[in-house]
Amino acid sequence: MELSKTEEQLMQHLWKLEKAFMKDLLDAYPEPKPATTTIATLLKRMIGKGFVNYKTFGKSREYYPLVKKEDYFSKHVNGIIKTFFNDSASQFASFFTRKTDLTKSELEALKAIIDKEIEKK
């Protein structure tokens, strides 16, 4: 299951905060801030999708992510590779390195990461 763009934006705040009350989530947004009801609706949908849960403290709820950011984005990137690059990581890597503004040092860092992974295999 995937998040909508607005749910993903809210999830970014929740991943950063790790756990948060409604006020904390609203404070994390820049102006103009969304309505409390909008955030409540998004949270309800995200709970239904299994991305978020909460603990109750009196009348307040403290929300926390059930899905790790790394896991979500790993699945997302793998979906992009499958959909747009014929399930080929090398086609994705080729596109990524040619069509982004990576510096020489960033490309060298990527190469070092790849070389390290090759050694592990």
Side-chain angles (χ1 to χ4, degrees):
M1 198 162 301
E2 263 188 51
L3 297 170
S4 69
K5 291 292 181 197
T6 53
E7 290 167 344
E8 199 172 283
Q9 184 181 20
L10 176 56
M11 197 69 183
Q12 288 283 2
H13 294 304
L14 196 51
W15 279 319
K16 186 176 181 180
L17 295 168
E18 295 180 6
K19 54 186 176 179
F21 292 96
M22 179 67 74
K23 181 190 180 319
D24 302 322
L25 290 169
L26 284 168
D27 287 347
Y29 278 86
E31 294 292 342
K33 296 185 184 296
T36 304
T37 53
T38 301
I39 300 301
T41 299
L42 291 172
L43 286 167
K44 185 176 180 180
R45 287 195 320 221
M46 293 162 67
I47 290 166
K49 290 180 178 182
F51 282 92
V52 174
N53 206 347
Y54 62 88
K55 292 179 183 175
T56 305
F57 295 93
K59 293 183 178 184
S60 299
R61 291 179 176 181
E62 183 179 49
Y63 298 93
Y64 58 91
L66 292 174
V67 176
K68 292 179 183 174
K69 183 177 183 178
E70 183 176 314
D71 294 341
Y72 177 75
F73 283 104
S74 174
K75 189 173 181 180
H76 199 64
V77 168
N78 285 327
I80 289 170
I81 291 169
K82 185 173 187 167
T83 304
F84 296 103
F85 299 97
N86 302 316
D87 211 11
S88 169
S90 58
Q91 282 183 20
F92 170 74
S94 175
F95 174 85
F96 179 73
T97 55
R98 286 183 294 111
K99 300 294 183 180
T100 57
D101 293 330
L102 297 173
T103 64
K104 183 177 180 180
S105 63
E106 289 171 324
L107 287 168
E108 288 169 347
L110 283 174
K111 183 181 181 304
I113 292 166
I114 291 168
D115 289 343
K116 189 174 180 180
E117 288 300 314
I118 289 170
E119 287 177 15
K120 289 182 183 178
K121 303 282 179 181

